[in-house]
Amino acid sequence: MIVSKRLKAAVICFLLVFFFLLARLAEIQLFFTESFSKSNINLIQESVKQRTEEVLISDGRGSFLDRNGKELTGKKQPAVILFPFLVTQDWPVDRVSDILGMKQGELRQLLTEAKKPVVLNSRKIKHLTKQSVSNINSLKYPGIYGVYMKDSKETNIAAHLLGATNQDPELLKKKYPGRKELPITAKIGTSGMERTFDEFLLADQDTKLLYHVDGRGNPLFGMDVKYTAEANAFYPLQVKTSIDRNIQKAMEDVLKDRGLKKGGAVLLDIEKSSVLGMVSKPDADMSKQQTLQNYMLTPIYPGSVFKTVIAAAAIEQNEVKPGTSFNCNLNLYGEPGDDKGTLSFGESFAQSCNYTFTSLAEKLIKKDDSVIENMAEKLGLTQRAGWEGKLYREDGFRQLYNEKSGVIWGDDKDKTVKKAVAQTAIGQKNVKVTPLEVANMMAAIARGGEKKQVKIADKIEYKNKTTMASFKDQPLKGENIDKYTAQQLQKILREVVTSPKGTGRRFQDLPYEIAGKSGTAQTGMFTKDKQTLYHKWFAGYFPADKPKYALVVLHMDTPGDKALTNTVFYDIVKKVHENEINQT
């Protein structure tokens, strides 16, 4: 009796397990073949993949172009693809050898050792050309193909600005809850412009060469290689940026060659209010999260660059009279400690006298305790500088990912504290602004006071080069400084360079006349040998008489005597001049 009960229990358990496995098999084979598990895995596609060899020519994702239509995200290069099954065929190895300039034995060895299709690109064959691709395809032999494909190992320029793509299932579900056709393995933009423009760049179909294999890797249906591609004249889309590829590359080379490790540079086209080049250091490394921050869009202590704001407020409030002088033997708190002598307003700005601007700030705040932040707003330092507006269904589309806005006061009570006002006046205490905002301020001054949003993209194009959407010039919200204030600022910004003791006198021999302002901000950090670390700035525009470019260079966390700011600014201006000459 006991044995019979145990036998029945065992049979029942066996049947339960059997029916569970049968139900699971039905689930896999019949009911959920295209959306298995919570991850919605397409089992049919995965099954086909297991018996398919393929070469991805293009992932089908949209791309970024520079202002002249040059590729920014990986240039398509000539390549030749050889499939492994050729070793079993009497293929024209002699002719392929002649076209590629490789020995026949080398080609045969590559295929003999290959488990996947062999891709020969310019990294392996230096003299591979468009003609090589044409000659290869003229052979019309199955398993031998000439194509154009992006080099996956090629380093893209403007890495921080353009951003990156990755597999991120959670972000995919969040951004595209209704797009069930998107596989969980789909790559989406996770940073930079790849993220902000992701909806327009998403791949619909990739382009690849593929063939089916048996368990041993031999062709399953003979030498039938299929070509799959997006048969659409309009997609994928392309984002035409304002970046000048030549200038961007030159800026990156300058920072690399000079050894600037942390900080960066941003160059604007003043007339178009657009970014020509933007570099952030350290270089972006996807395995190191701390390297992905774009410091050109991050609020940083500006130091004496912020004296531009105090100068503008003093001019507008008529606090600077002709003949007014300042005792620049006093430090920022009005105590003995400096030795610059008695200076005029213009000389004080050129030599960056702290006392002049802290004393002016104190007078201004007594009249109006909002004067500093109001002037900062007029100059575009308290709101994001990047383009924001309506794009199709999205009212608040932003071109620049994770761009921050500047701040002036940490606490309104600081306005009644003399030392806090003094520190604020020279761009310390709680003052933080982004290099892009500072560059945009310089552009606004150069334009006569008109401030605009900064564009990084001009338009979105269809594959056939027709326009899908364009981004019009837009003003920054709020008031502008008046023309008289702008003219007076232009005058003292120029004096920074022309004055014998000006902090920008090094730039006197450049091919353009420069106007600008230096800045040195304490970070509160020190080197191992107790040297103080600073953020060193130079912000300006050029040519001073007919402004075309606004440039900001920032070297962060550097001892004062090792700052590369002026050297990098100097070199970039020369590169811009060389680029202009080459274009004429």
Side-chain angles (χ1 to χ4, degrees), residues 34 301 379 385 413 426 462 505 547 553:
E34 296 185 7
Y301 294 119
L379 290 168
K413 293 178 182 178
I426 63 168
Y462 290 110
R505 59 189 178 277
V553 175

PDB file of all heavy atoms in Angstrom, residues 34 301 379 385 413 426 462 505 547 553:
ATOM      1  N   GLU A  34       7.911  35.315 -31.163  1.00  0.00           N
ATOM      2  CA  GLU A  34       8.444  36.617 -31.551  1.00  0.00           C
ATOM      3  C   GLU A  34       8.567  37.588 -30.387  1.00  0.00           C
ATOM      4  O   GLU A  34       9.069  38.708 -30.554  1.00  0.00           O
ATOM      5  CB  GLU A  34       7.575  37.244 -32.650  1.00  0.00           C
ATOM      6  CG  GLU A  34       7.584  36.434 -33.932  1.00  0.00           C
ATOM      7  CD  GLU A  34       6.816  37.115 -35.047  1.00  0.00           C
ATOM      8  OE1 GLU A  34       6.395  38.268 -34.850  1.00  0.00           O
ATOM      9  OE2 GLU A  34       6.639  36.492 -36.108  1.00  0.00           O
ATOM     10  N   TYR A 301      33.884  78.029 -11.625  1.00  0.00           N
ATOM     11  CA  TYR A 301      34.268  79.345 -11.108  1.00  0.00           C
ATOM     12  C   TYR A 301      34.972  80.141 -12.215  1.00  0.00           C
ATOM     13  O   TYR A 301      35.991  79.689 -12.749  1.00  0.00           O
ATOM     14  CB  TYR A 301      35.231  79.210  -9.934  1.00  0.00           C
ATOM     15  CG  TYR A 301      34.646  78.561  -8.704  1.00  0.00           C
ATOM     16  CD1 TYR A 301      35.177  77.373  -8.199  1.00  0.00           C
ATOM     17  CD2 TYR A 301      33.583  79.139  -8.021  1.00  0.00           C
ATOM     18  CE1 TYR A 301      34.646  76.770  -7.054  1.00  0.00           C
ATOM     19  CE2 TYR A 301      33.047  78.544  -6.881  1.00  0.00           C
ATOM     20  CZ  TYR A 301      33.590  77.358  -6.410  1.00  0.00           C
ATOM     21  OH  TYR A 301      33.061  76.764  -5.290  1.00  0.00           O
ATOM     22  N   LEU A 379      23.639  89.571 -19.916  1.00  0.00           N
ATOM     23  CA  LEU A 379      24.793  89.068 -20.674  1.00  0.00           C
ATOM     24  C   LEU A 379      24.704  87.561 -20.933  1.00  0.00           C
ATOM     25  O   LEU A 379      25.612  86.969 -21.505  1.00  0.00           O
ATOM     26  CB  LEU A 379      26.089  89.398 -19.934  1.00  0.00           C
ATOM     27  CG  LEU A 379      26.452  90.890 -19.923  1.00  0.00           C
ATOM     28  CD1 LEU A 379      27.576  91.168 -18.925  1.00  0.00           C
ATOM     29  CD2 LEU A 379      26.856  91.369 -21.315  1.00  0.00           C
ATOM     30  N   ALA A 385      22.763  78.495 -22.598  1.00  0.00           N
ATOM     31  CA  ALA A 385      23.055  79.220 -23.845  1.00  0.00           C
ATOM     32  C   ALA A 385      22.581  78.465 -25.078  1.00  0.00           C
ATOM     33  O   ALA A 385      22.307  79.069 -26.117  1.00  0.00           O
ATOM     34  CB  ALA A 385      24.554  79.488 -23.956  1.00  0.00           C
ATOM     35  N   LYS A 413      21.426  86.440   1.520  1.00  0.00           N
ATOM     36  CA  LYS A 413      22.004  87.127   2.683  1.00  0.00           C
ATOM     37  C   LYS A 413      23.439  87.581   2.408  1.00  0.00           C
ATOM     38  O   LYS A 413      23.935  88.510   3.052  1.00  0.00           O
ATOM     39  CB  LYS A 413      21.972  86.207   3.901  1.00  0.00           C
ATOM     40  CG  LYS A 413      20.569  85.891   4.403  1.00  0.00           C
ATOM     41  CD  LYS A 413      20.610  84.939   5.586  1.00  0.00           C
ATOM     42  CE  LYS A 413      19.202  84.600   6.057  1.00  0.00           C
ATOM     43  NZ  LYS A 413      19.214  83.632   7.189  1.00  0.00           N
ATOM     44  N   ILE A 426      34.566  89.211  -8.041  1.00  0.00           N
ATOM     45  CA  ILE A 426      35.717  88.715  -8.809  1.00  0.00           C
ATOM     46  C   ILE A 426      35.527  87.263  -9.242  1.00  0.00           C
ATOM     47  O   ILE A 426      36.474  86.537  -9.512  1.00  0.00           O
ATOM     48  CB  ILE A 426      37.037  88.883  -8.031  1.00  0.00           C
ATOM     49  CG1 ILE A 426      37.031  88.062  -6.736  1.00  0.00           C
ATOM     50  CG2 ILE A 426      37.309  90.358  -7.743  1.00  0.00           C
ATOM     51  CD1 ILE A 426      38.395  87.958  -6.067  1.00  0.00           C
ATOM     52  N   TYR A 462      17.081  64.648 -44.882  1.00  0.00           N
ATOM     53  CA  TYR A 462      16.813  63.300 -45.375  1.00  0.00           C
ATOM     54  C   TYR A 462      18.062  62.773 -46.077  1.00  0.00           C
ATOM     55  O   TYR A 462      19.001  63.523 -46.366  1.00  0.00           O
ATOM     56  CB  TYR A 462      15.649  63.310 -46.356  1.00  0.00           C
ATOM     57  CG  TYR A 462      14.308  63.578 -45.717  1.00  0.00           C
ATOM     58  CD1 TYR A 462      13.639  64.777 -45.942  1.00  0.00           C
ATOM     59  CD2 TYR A 462      13.698  62.624 -44.898  1.00  0.00           C
ATOM     60  CE1 TYR A 462      12.396  65.035 -45.361  1.00  0.00           C
ATOM     61  CE2 TYR A 462      12.456  62.869 -44.315  1.00  0.00           C
ATOM     62  CZ  TYR A 462      11.824  64.077 -44.557  1.00  0.00           C
ATOM     63  OH  TYR A 462      10.606  64.319 -43.968  1.00  0.00           O
ATOM     64  N   ARG A 505      48.316  90.786 -23.095  1.00  0.00           N
ATOM     65  CA  ARG A 505      49.298  91.419 -23.997  1.00  0.00           C
ATOM     66  C   ARG A 505      50.034  90.412 -24.880  1.00  0.00           C
ATOM     67  O   ARG A 505      50.579  90.770 -25.917  1.00  0.00           O
ATOM     68  CB  ARG A 505      50.295  92.258 -23.206  1.00  0.00           C
ATOM     69  CG  ARG A 505      51.093  91.490 -22.166  1.00  0.00           C
ATOM     70  CD  ARG A 505      51.908  92.440 -21.280  1.00  0.00           C
ATOM     71  NE  ARG A 505      52.662  91.742 -20.243  1.00  0.00           N
ATOM     72  CZ  ARG A 505      52.159  91.361 -19.071  1.00  0.00           C
ATOM     73  NH1 ARG A 505      50.888  91.608 -18.806  1.00  0.00           N
ATOM     74  NH2 ARG A 505      52.901  90.726 -18.183  1.00  0.00           N
ATOM     75  N   PRO A 547      34.236  91.630 -35.596  1.00  0.00           N
ATOM     76  CA  PRO A 547      34.203  90.335 -34.905  1.00  0.00           C
ATOM     77  C   PRO A 547      33.552  89.209 -35.715  1.00  0.00           C
ATOM     78  O   PRO A 547      32.467  89.375 -36.261  1.00  0.00           O
ATOM     79  CB  PRO A 547      33.395  90.635 -33.632  1.00  0.00           C
ATOM     80  CG  PRO A 547      33.534  92.108 -33.431  1.00  0.00           C
ATOM     81  CD  PRO A 547      33.578  92.685 -34.810  1.00  0.00           C
ATOM     82  N   VAL A 553      38.999  79.583 -23.600  1.00  0.00           N
ATOM     83  CA  VAL A 553      39.883  78.469 -23.237  1.00  0.00           C
ATOM     84  C   VAL A 553      39.944  78.395 -21.719  1.00  0.00           C
ATOM     85  O   VAL A 553      40.089  79.417 -21.041  1.00  0.00           O
ATOM     86  CB  VAL A 553      41.301  78.657 -23.818  1.00  0.00           C
ATOM     87  CG1 VAL A 553      42.236  77.558 -23.317  1.00  0.00           C
ATOM     88  CG2 VAL A 553      41.268  78.659 -25.339  1.00  0.00           C
TER      89      VAL A 553
END
